[in-house]
Amino acid sequence: MEISHRNLTQQLVHELGKAILQGKYSENKLPSEADIAKEYDISRTATREAIKMLTAKGLISSRPRQGIKVQDIKHWNLFDSDVLRWVLLGKPDLYMLRHFLDVRLAIEPAAASLAARYASDDEIIKIETSLSKLKFEGSGYDDTHQADIDFHKSILFASNNPFFIQLQTFVETALKVNLHFTKRADAVSEKEYQEHVDIFNCIKAGDEQGAFDTAAKTTKLTISLVNERIAALERINKT
Amino acid sequence: MEISHRNLTQQLVHELGKAILQGKYSENKLPSEADIAKEYDISRTATREAIKMLTAKGLISSRPRQGIKVQDIKHWNLFDSDVLRWVLLGKPDLYMLRHFLDVRLAIEPAAASLAARYASDDEIIKIETSLSKLKFEGSGYDDTHQADIDFHKSILFASNNPFFIQLQTFVETALKVNLHFTKRADAVSEKEYQEHVDIFNCIKAGDEQGAFDTAAKTTKLTISLVNERIAALERINKT
DNA sequence: TGGGTCTTATTTGTATTATTAATACTATTG
DNA sequence: CAATAGTATTAATAATACAAATAAGACCCA
């Protein structure tokens, strides 16, 4: 196999990352460095650097004489956006989507609550801007969903907590990948828009509990929808 | 400077990680690969591999002719336990502690709630075991706190959500580092123990809302303590 | 003078080769 | 049979050379 030009190491990281997450390597054992280098027709140096990057992300480990092994999932840095993308691309299933939604349910109400307490005027304006883009009728599907993503990101940013801020890319990556598979024809509905407005109003008013509750309500609704789909799927599998 | 033998790359990753987080590199600019290699008396190959690992963790970026630069904090993988350790060791301040507690407040009640729904019998037993070690009077300070950490970890594990499970090392690292700075003479108090018991009982009974609330209550108490200390600190700084 | 283009120097990126270190496996020997 | 020494495999490190990218300045021309 060959990979395109420009940053061979980065390319290989991506190729191997995807391959690992697709379960391409049986028994969690990768080929030796030399074999990988040969397979992708690049030097062992570049190969080793790619291996090191994947090691840093917790995906693999390598020891002399033992070779390169895939680590247990509990070591994977799932909050690394690369890893997350590979996971979601590798197994785009409803269960993983629910797991992810459960994290959002933990994160986003908390972030909204913190935003209600700490957001600066600029940060409030940022949230409001993406909210207005969400409403704008003439915009296309992609723009609307980018505005949706920006809305969530700006709330995380406004939390003024570096951990939540770091989760911006986490949420963005997951939302984008999920759109691949749950793409709906309609744009954001009026009801959804109203919920976003409610969240914003609570944040602007400094109502921490209200921001928490309204944000939780929105996410919970999505979760119940996914749970229904999972339940339906399981009924089909049983028969 | 020199670094000890055995896994030079790993050692260098750690040295550079700590140095970066201590703000050792002014203007966010690191020396060139060649200079770093010279400084630590290792080859450029090993240096590059260390650089790649730090790049994978989002700490730095490197481009030809431009050199190696420290990335903006929003790119750091704060949920990587290495990065987290460097952050906490680099700036052991109360503000970062509060930020971390705010994340715990988001994570742990949610995990407890999921555990109440999904925990298997084995996972329940695991939680109970660490709880019993927490109570055992004869155990020393370190053992008690390890049991405390294990209690929180076993709840995360019992959530059966890979994202929360991944946060086990996150919580463990942060709790251990924080103990360095907030070390109290007393062990876990009777009241704290009782709160842990309450959380466990809710999980065992499958009471999702109860597990959420009791877990949140415990963390909120700690947060208010830290907030008081911060407020006191700010009063001192003003005068 | 202003602005675009070319050259050059610097730094990372990649390749190649060799040597060392760690370790699983094997054979030897008491 | 068991402890030990040997052997083979693979990653770890090193040294070196060259390629590619690019920032900065030189240069040219309208």
Side-chain angles (χ1 to χ4, degrees), chain A residues 9 13 33 43-57 62, chain B residues 7-14 16 33 36-37 42-57 60 62 68 86:
Chain A
T9 301
V13 167
E33 290 177 354
S43 73
R44 218 190 111 200
T45 307
T47 304
R48 274 187 63 79
E49 287 174 2
I51 295 298
K52 285 295 175 186
M53 294 190 79
L54 292 171
T55 303
K57 290 177 187 296
S62 75
Chain B
N7 254 350
L8 297 181
T9 302
Q10 297 294 334
Q11 297 275 347
L12 183 56
V13 166
H14 204 249
L16 289 178
E33 290 177 355
I36 294 173
I42 59 178
S43 72
R44 208 188 125 200
T45 307
T47 304
R48 273 186 63 81
E49 287 174 3
I51 295 298
K52 287 294 174 187
M53 294 189 80
L54 292 171
T55 302
K57 291 177 187 296
I60 56 180
S62 75
I68 304 159
W86 299 327

Side-chain angles (χ1 to χ4, degrees), chain B residues 13-61:
Chain B
V13 166
H14 204 249
E15 295 297 326
L16 289 178
K18 279 192 294 183
I20 291 168
L21 269 292
Q22 281 167 3
K24 182 178 167 185
Y25 298 110
S26 55
E27 298 174 16
N28 294 335
K29 183 93 172 56
L30 273 75
S32 71
E33 290 177 355
D35 289 344
I36 294 173
K38 211 180 296 172
E39 184 183 350
Y40 290 92
D41 192 32
I42 59 178
S43 72
R44 208 188 125 200
T45 307
T47 304
R48 273 186 63 81
E49 287 174 3
I51 295 298
K52 287 294 174 187
M53 294 189 80
L54 292 171
T55 302
K57 291 177 187 296
L59 280 187
I60 56 180
S61 69

Side-chain angles (χ1 to χ4, degrees), chain A residues 31-40 42-44 47-48 68:
Chain A
S32 71
E33 290 177 354
D35 288 345
I36 293 173
K38 213 180 295 170
E39 185 184 349
Y40 290 92
I42 59 177
S43 73
R44 218 190 111 200
T47 304
R48 274 187 63 79
I68 304 159

Side-chain angles (χ1 to χ4, degrees), chain B:
Chain B
M1 190 186 298
E2 236 177 273
I3 53 189
S4 71
H5 304 300
R6 186 161 182 127
N7 254 350
L8 297 181
T9 302
Q10 297 294 334
Q11 297 275 347
L12 183 56
V13 166
H14 204 249
E15 295 297 326
L16 289 178
K18 279 192 294 183
I20 291 168
L21 269 292
Q22 281 167 3
K24 182 178 167 185
Y25 298 110
S26 55
E27 298 174 16
N28 294 335
K29 183 93 172 56
L30 273 75
S32 71
E33 290 177 355
D35 289 344
I36 294 173
K38 211 180 296 172
E39 184 183 350
Y40 290 92
D41 192 32
I42 59 178
S43 72
R44 208 188 125 200
T45 307
T47 304
R48 273 186 63 81
E49 287 174 3
I51 295 298
K52 287 294 174 187
M53 294 189 80
L54 292 171
T55 302
K57 291 177 187 296
L59 280 187
I60 56 180
S61 69
S62 75
R63 288 169 60 196
R65 169 76 214 205
Q66 194 170 321
I68 304 159
K69 291 194 304 182
V70 178
Q71 291 263 59
D72 189 273
I73 187 172
K74 75 176 181 186
H75 292 112
W76 299 357
N77 287 308
L78 293 174
F79 295 91
D80 177 295
S81 52
D82 286 329
V83 176
L84 182 61
R85 186 164 45 234
W86 299 327
V87 168
L88 296 178
L89 290 175
K91 317 179 168 187
D93 60 29
L94 282 172
Y95 295 97
M96 192 54 86
L97 176 58
R98 181 173 61 188
H99 289 320
F100 172 68
L101 281 169
D102 284 334
V103 176
R104 281 186 59 195
L105 180 58
I107 296 300
E108 303 206 83
S113 170
L114 288 173
R117 178 182 287 200
Y118 297 116
S120 70
D121 292 344
D122 275 1
E123 288 154 3
I124 297 278
I125 291 173
K126 250 187 174 173
I127 301 171
E128 196 165 21
T129 304
S130 46
L131 192 60
S132 66
K133 281 183 189 159
L134 201 55
K135 192 188 187 179
F136 183 58
E137 301 284 336
S139 56
Y141 175 86
D142 287 340
D143 286 344
T144 306
H145 274 284
Q146 183 60 50
D148 190 14
I149 290 169
D150 286 342
F151 177 77
H152 292 282
K153 280 173 71 178
S154 58
I155 290 176
L156 288 168
F157 186 78
S159 74
N160 281 276
N161 179 310
F163 295 102
F164 287 113
I165 290 174
Q166 219 265 306
L167 290 170
Q168 280 183 105
T169 51
F170 172 79
V171 170
E172 176 161 30
T173 301
L175 286 180
K176 279 183 178 168
V177 174
N178 278 330
L179 279 178
H180 262 251
F181 302 103
T182 63
K183 213 163 196 169
R184 294 166 307 177
D186 58 336
V188 174
S189 70
E190 181 61 33
K191 185 186 170 198
E192 281 175 284
Y193 173 72
Q194 191 54 51
E195 283 176 340
H196 283 67
V197 171
D198 290 344
I199 296 171
F200 170 72
N201 284 333
C202 289
I203 291 173
K204 192 175 185 183
D207 176 5
E208 294 178 38
Q209 191 61 49
F212 186 98
D213 292 338
T214 48
K217 189 181 153 201
T218 303
T219 310
K220 274 180 182 169
L221 195 70
T222 314
I223 289 179
S224 65
L225 287 175
V226 171
N227 276 339
E228 275 172 29
R229 286 168 67 176
I230 287 178
L233 208 73
E234 283 175 347
R235 275 197 300 277
I236 291 170
N237 284 344
K238 269 183 187 167
T239 57

Side-chain angles (χ1 to χ4, degrees), chain A:
Chain A
M1 189 186 301
E2 237 177 272
I3 54 189
S4 70
H5 306 300
R6 185 156 184 130
N7 253 353
L8 297 181
T9 301
Q10 298 293 333
Q11 296 276 346
L12 183 56
V13 167
H14 203 250
E15 294 297 325
L16 289 177
K18 279 192 294 184
I20 290 169
L21 269 293
Q22 279 167 5
K24 183 177 166 185
Y25 298 110
S26 55
E27 298 175 16
N28 295 335
K29 183 95 171 57
L30 274 75
S32 71
E33 290 177 354
D35 288 345
I36 293 173
K38 213 180 295 170
E39 185 184 349
Y40 290 92
D41 192 32
I42 59 177
S43 73
R44 218 190 111 200
T45 307
T47 304
R48 274 187 63 79
E49 287 174 2
I51 295 298
K52 285 295 175 186
M53 294 190 79
L54 292 171
T55 303
K57 290 177 187 296
L59 280 187
I60 56 179
S61 69
S62 75
R63 288 168 61 195
R65 170 75 213 203
Q66 196 169 321
I68 304 159
K69 292 193 303 184
V70 178
Q71 291 263 59
D72 188 273
I73 186 173
K74 76 175 178 184
H75 292 111
W76 300 356
N77 288 308
L78 293 174
F79 294 92
D80 176 296
S81 51
D82 287 328
V83 176
L84 181 62
R85 186 165 42 232
W86 298 328
V87 168
L88 295 178
L89 290 174
K91 318 179 167 187
D93 61 28
L94 282 172
Y95 295 97
M96 192 54 85
L97 176 58
R98 182 173 60 188
H99 288 320
F100 172 67
L101 282 169
D102 284 334
V103 176
R104 279 186 61 196
L105 181 58
I107 296 299
E108 302 206 83
S113 170
L114 288 173
R117 177 182 288 198
Y118 296 116
S120 70
D121 293 342
D122 274 0
E123 287 154 3
I124 297 277
I125 290 172
K126 251 187 174 174
I127 301 172
E128 196 165 21
T129 303
S130 46
L131 192 60
S132 65
K133 281 183 189 160
L134 201 55
K135 192 190 187 179
F136 184 55
E137 298 285 337
S139 56
Y141 175 87
D142 287 341
D143 286 344
T144 306
H145 274 285
Q146 185 59 49
D148 191 13
I149 290 169
D150 286 342
F151 178 78
H152 292 282
K153 281 174 71 179
S154 58
I155 291 175
L156 288 168
F157 186 78
S159 74
N160 282 276
N161 178 312
F163 295 102
F164 287 114
I165 290 173
Q166 219 265 305
L167 289 170
Q168 280 183 107
T169 52
F170 172 79
V171 169
E172 176 161 30
T173 300
L175 287 180
K176 280 184 178 169
V177 174
N178 278 331
L179 280 179
H180 262 252
F181 302 103
T182 63
K183 213 164 196 168
R184 293 167 307 178
D186 58 335
V188 175
S189 71
E190 180 61 33
K191 186 187 170 197
E192 281 175 284
Y193 173 71
Q194 191 53 52
E195 282 176 340
H196 284 67
V197 171
D198 290 344
I199 296 171
F200 170 72
N201 284 334
C202 289
I203 291 174
K204 191 174 183 182
D207 177 4
E208 294 178 38
Q209 190 61 47
F212 186 98
D213 292 338
T214 48
K217 190 181 153 201
T218 303
T219 310
K220 273 180 181 169
L221 195 70
T222 314
I223 289 178
S224 65
L225 287 174
V226 171
N227 276 338
E228 275 171 29
R229 287 168 67 176
I230 287 177
L233 208 73
E234 284 175 347
R235 274 196 301 276
I236 291 171
N237 283 344
K238 269 184 185 165
T239 55

